Every structure is written in C-alpha cells, then in structure tokens.
Amino acid sequence: MAYQRAPTVVGVPNFNAVEDAAALRAAMKGFGTDEQAIIDILTTRSNMQRQAISQAFTREYGRDLIEDLKSELGGHFEDVIVALMTPPEEYLCQELHRCMEGMGTDEDTLVEILCTRTKPEIAAIVDTYERLYDRPLAEHMCSETSGDFRRLLTLIVVGARADEAPADPERARELAQELYDAGEAKWGTDEEVFNRILAHESFAQLRQIFEEYKNIAGRTVEQAIKAEIDGELKDALSAIVECVEDAAGWFARRLRRAVQGAGTDDRALVRILATRAEVDLDNVKLEYEKLFDKTLQSDISQGETSGDYKRALVALIGPA
C-alpha cells in the first residue's frame, strides 16, 4: 500500500484470556446482559486475542462463546460482535458465500472484498473458502458472474497478481501505453487489456503505471475507466485503481454510501469496520473527515444506528 497502515484496534498489553473469558461469562450469566462489558472487552482485543478468549471460554466452562453471545444478543449488535469473534478470513468467506447464494448476486460485496485486497490476503481467503465450503471460490464465483467482470475476478482469485517488488519504470511506460491504446486512443474499448494489466501487475508496479498514464493521456486511469467502461466491470476496475493509490479513500467513500441515503447498509458498515479495524481504520476515518468535512463517528451516531450497536461501532472507530 502507498500509505502506512494505521489500525484503530491493536489488542491490549498484559492480555489474560482466562480473565476476559470470566468477565464475559459474568456479563451473560444470570438476569440480564451487561452489553457494555461485552463491548469494552471485544472491541479492544485483537482478533488473535479474541480467539484465545474463545478457547479459554470453552476450556473453563465447556461452552461455545459465539453461541452464548448469539443467545444473549440480537439484531445488528449481534452481527458486529459475531464478526469480531470470527477469524477475518473466515468472516470474509462467509460474506462472499452469502453474497453469491440465493437469488441474484451482490456484486458490490464481491468488488469490496476481492478488488481491494493484496495478493497474500486473497490467497488466505481462497484457501479458507475451499476449507469452509468444500468448493473452490473461483468455481462458485464463475457460476454467479459473467463476461469481463467474471474474467477480472477470476484472474484475481487464481492469484495472477505478481508478488510485490520495486516498480520497473520502463515496463510501467510500456503498459501505460498499452492501456491508453486499448481505451482512449481507439474507437471502443479493449476491456481484456485493462483486465490483464490491473489483475496481473503488483500494486507497486500499478502505481508507477498510473503515473505514466497521466503523462501520456493528460488524465488519470480512473477518469478513463469511468469514461470508457460501464457496469460492474467499471466498479471493479475503479476499486483496484483507487485501492492501489488510496485504499483509505476508497473505504471512506464506501462507508459514506453505507450511512447516507435511504436506510443504512448495515451489512457493509459492520463488515468494513470489523475487518479494517486492525488494518487501516485510522487512515479511513481521517480520510473520511477530509473528504466529507464530518467525522465518521458523527455520521454513524447521527444516522440510523442506535443503542449497543452504535456504541460498538463507535468503540471500533476509536476517539475522533
């Protein structure tokens, strides 16, 4: 990534899984549930620490922590807590599976999960998906998508992207010219060239290609994609370009869409905050304020979230 990733959740020092398990048991035992105690513990521990708490909980009490939490909590608050308790790759695989099952496919979620992640992150998701569902992710995805969009996602999922290495400026100039020739320089667009370059090249190389493209075309690759390509392929290619240049900005805009307009997209809100908290949520919230002149906390607090759900989300975001 071009920027130094800054998380909002890093875990706690002097961590004690048995003590946390006991505190969670006490919060759920007896009459009523102490939701604030659950929020205080689980939004400040890292995912690795939460897995240790879960194991300690089973060892000490012979019970499944996630099942106990589910039986005590409800609604979107339950969704946040379960997302936090699930190993990140498993959670993302569950979200991918959900967005492809049943009637219609949720292309926005496919783009958000697959077009924004680095090669090692994708590899971990692919391995986990097959373990969870006994079916390759690429195969399931191919049955639910079509055309150039399917071809692009397939290239990403099969690990076509080059490993990260210093950029090669000469090669970047050649590939930038190829992109220009495939799009703006001709009548009609050769999407296959965009797919090949944006799915194969490393993020460092793509950054250099995008710089060279500006020199050749006098405008950005992103502007070209938006002018030359449409539909979900445009969204997917744009997501790759934006995440190569500024992932925090891309996620900030995605969050803005989730909290603005008619009804909150709670699924996207929970997924992004739960999965980026240990990655770059601090960058995302700073970018959010820069882009929209409002803090992410205030937009979430003033929106349609409420109660423990809102408190859990705000705790993940951390102080303004």
Side-chain angles (χ1 to χ4, degrees), residues 24 34-35 39-40 53 73 88 93 113 144 149 185 192 213 222 226-227 242 265 289 292 294 301 305 307 311 319:
L24 288 170
D34 184 351
E35 287 89 353
I39 292 170
D40 290 344
I53 296 168
L73 313 176
C93 286
I113 295 175
E144 300 295 328
F149 181 59
E192 191 275 326
Y213 188 92
E222 198 186 332
K226 287 182 173 160
E242 288 179 52
D265 182 350
E289 192 169 358
F292 306 114
K294 284 185 82 173
S301 298
T305 65
R311 279 190 282 278

Side-chain angles (χ1 to χ4, degrees), residues 168-310:
D168 174 344
E170 188 50 48
R171 182 170 158 71
R173 274 190 288 280
E174 288 167 18
L175 292 174
Q177 188 66 52
E178 271 191 59
L179 284 175
Y180 182 69
D181 293 344
E184 297 188 73
K186 68 193 283 264
W187 180 258
T189 304
D190 187 347
E191 285 88 354
E192 191 275 326
V193 174
F194 278 82
N195 274 3
R196 175 169 50 77
I197 294 172
L198 267 66
H200 277 97
E201 299 302 318
S202 71
F203 279 22
Q205 186 69 30
L206 285 173
R207 264 192 290 280
Q208 187 80 39
I209 292 166
F210 299 159
E211 278 305 310
E212 295 296 341
Y213 188 92
K214 262 189 287 200
N215 298 336
I216 294 167
R219 65 170 176 171
T220 66
V221 169
E222 198 186 332
Q223 287 169 325
I225 287 167
K226 287 182 173 160
E228 303 283 327
I229 295 168
D230 50 26
E232 56 254 11
L233 181 63
K234 176 186 76 175
D235 296 338
L237 292 170
S238 295
I240 294 171
V241 173
E242 288 179 52
C243 284
V244 162
E245 296 187 321
D246 175 25
W250 190 89
F251 279 105
R253 284 185 282 275
R254 180 86 167 106
L255 282 168
R256 178 73 166 181
R257 285 208 312 277
V259 295
Q260 291 285 304
T264 303
D265 182 350
D266 295 289
R267 197 109 216 172
L269 189 55
V270 169
R271 184 173 55 245
I272 294 170
L273 295 185
T275 58
R276 304 311 289 187
E278 285 184 65
V279 180
D280 58 0
L281 189 52
D282 204 53
N283 309 94
V284 173
K285 75 180 186 189
L286 291 173
E287 201 57 40
Y288 192 97
E289 192 169 358
K290 227 186 285 179
L291 287 168
F292 306 114
D293 207 23
K294 284 185 82 173
T295 66
L296 179 55
Q297 292 92 321
S298 68
D299 263 358
I300 286 173
S301 298
Q302 291 160 14
E304 294 173 19
T305 65
S306 60
D308 296 314
Y309 173 44
K310 177 172 79 178

